[in-house]
Amino acid sequence: MNNEMIRTTGLRKSFGRSEVLRGVDLAVPRGAVVGLLGTNGAGKSTLIKCLLGLLKITAGSATVLGEDPWTLSAAAKARIGYVPQVVHLYPWMKVAQVIQYTAAFYPKWDHVWCDELVDQWDLDRSASIRTLSTGQLQRLGLILGMGHRPDLYVLDEPAASLDPAGRRSLLRSLLEVSEDSEHSILFSTHITSDLERIASHVAIMGDGVIDYFGELDELKDSVKRIRVHSPTDLPADFSLPGSLRTEVIGQSAIVAVAEIDNEFVDQVRKRFHATVEIEDLNLEDIFLELHDAQ
């Protein structure tokens, strides 16, 4: 059994003369929950659309569930659940009708679980689509993308329009999905606190490429902020090996480093006769440090 749900090698996508994806290398293993982070315009949504066959790749290669995204078979498509950033549904239908209509395309639709999600996410089955708020429409889109219990969930900013209660319910459902280590999730988000709660891996995009991909815990263990306090002014060109960002103010320096160990800290103390404080960073801080270092 292939252990990779998604694989891209040198994936490029251009729109005319504008190259949005400039050589994306990514491998999503089975059972992984991958958070896709990046600033606006980094190429996250374009990458997702290329992986789903909604956009044709300009160069490089990609496989999703072992197949070329542009020619995905019906069987492969039935194993994918996709929720776009903006959900568009037939406005003249009611919630229950849209669910029934969508369920008809999937022989393995889980009606019981779908009903549970409708109740859990507080949707009125008799409400017309045109009367739903943006958040309610997003919740319904998530149900439609998850109701057939796909093997691969691809979610583009799934929580952007949800209130805190809706986000909490979504995260709880995604955690349930990922418990068996067989289902994989790729989701883009700007809400790093959500990602920290459920992601096993992080992919950080910058300017059309993947700058970092790895396990979330490993990333948090490696990137730290160091505060150095010396009895004398530090040199203006003060720097440390592996530094991502350095700020020097007189006798003090703040340094973000990509790798750190006890030997490294001891060397800094001895070299500058300084006290050294090490700070753990949350994912948002790490993302900003890595982004500013580009």
Side-chain angles (χ1 to χ4, degrees):
M1 180 181 293
N2 188 350
N3 198 44
E4 288 182 348
M5 305 294 272
I6 295 172
R7 159 73 70 174
T8 71
T9 304
L11 189 155
R12 293 177 178 269
K13 176 60 186 177
S14 299
F15 298 93
R17 296 182 179 180
S18 176
E19 190 174 44
V20 177
L21 302 180
R22 304 188 304 121
V24 174
D25 297 318
L26 178 66
V28 176
R30 182 182 303 276
V33 180
V34 180
L36 183 60
L37 281 175
T39 58
N40 292 333
K44 303 186 300 298
S45 292
T46 299
L47 173 60
I48 285 174
K49 289 178 181 178
C50 286
L51 294 175
L52 294 169
L54 301 175
L55 292 173
K56 191 169 186 179
I57 296 168
T58 302
S61 64
T63 57
V64 176
L65 302 178
E67 298 185 14
D68 185 328
W70 192 246
T71 57
L72 279 176
S73 64
K77 291 178 180 177
R79 296 173 59 199
I80 299 172
Y82 170 52
V83 181
Q85 188 170 359
V86 179
V87 177
H88 295 286
L89 298 171
Y90 300 117
W92 60 87
M93 282 188 170
K94 297 184 183 299
V95 169
Q97 292 174 325
V98 170
I99 293 174
Q100 292 169 1
Y101 174 77
T102 304
F105 291 93
Y106 297 97
K108 296 183 179 180
W109 187 270
D110 191 333
H111 294 276
V112 174
W113 191 47
C114 182
D115 284 341
E116 290 177 359
L117 291 178
V118 170
D119 292 335
Q120 179 180 315
W121 294 354
D122 198 25
L123 283 175
D124 181 356
R125 293 171 175 79
S126 64
S128 297
I129 299 301
R130 63 167 55 91
T131 67
L132 298 182
S133 68
T134 302
Q136 290 171 324
L137 196 61
Q138 188 72 22
R139 293 184 189 200
L140 180 55
L142 286 162
I143 291 171
L144 299 179
M146 299 169 67
H148 57 297
R149 289 196 180 272
D151 295 326
L152 174 62
Y153 295 74
V154 182
L155 314 175
D156 193 357
E157 295 286 352
S161 301
L162 299 181
D163 57 26
R167 283 167 45 207
R168 189 178 302 112
S169 294
L170 169 62
L171 295 177
R172 183 165 61 248
S173 297
L174 293 179
L175 282 171
E176 293 172 0
V177 163
S178 62
E179 281 180 348
D180 62 3
S181 298
E182 288 296 319
H183 298 80
S184 300
I185 302 171
L186 174 66
F187 70 104
S188 69
T189 182
H190 286 99
I191 307 174
T192 54
S193 59
D194 288 351
L195 193 155
E196 285 189 272
R197 289 183 61 186
I198 68 168
S200 62
H201 293 69
V202 178
I204 298 178
M205 285 198 75
D207 197 19
V209 297
I210 300 292
D211 291 323
Y212 174 87
F213 177 75
E215 293 186 11
L216 174 58
D217 288 343
E218 290 184 0
L219 177 63
K220 295 180 71 173
D221 285 342
S222 63
V223 180
K224 303 290 183 181
R225 182 180 292 137
I226 297 177
R227 295 183 182 272
V228 180
H229 304 279
S230 172
T232 59
D233 284 352
L234 294 168
D237 60 352
F238 173 87
S239 65
L240 299 176
S243 63
L244 300 169
R245 181 183 63 86
T246 302
E247 180 181 349
V248 180
I249 305 175
Q251 298 173 326
S252 300
I254 300 174
V255 187
V257 294
E259 298 288 342
I260 189 172
D261 56 32
N262 291 332
E263 183 179 353
F264 176 90
V265 173
D266 288 340
Q267 288 175 353
V268 174
R269 288 193 179 108
K270 292 176 182 178
R271 180 181 174 187
F272 298 100
H273 307 286
T275 60
V276 179
E277 301 171 7
I278 302 172
E279 294 181 6
D280 293 329
L281 301 178
N282 60 33
L283 184 58
E284 181 175 349
D285 289 333
I286 291 173
F287 172 70
L288 292 174
E289 294 289 5
L290 292 174
H291 178 262
D292 290 344
Q294 300 301 314

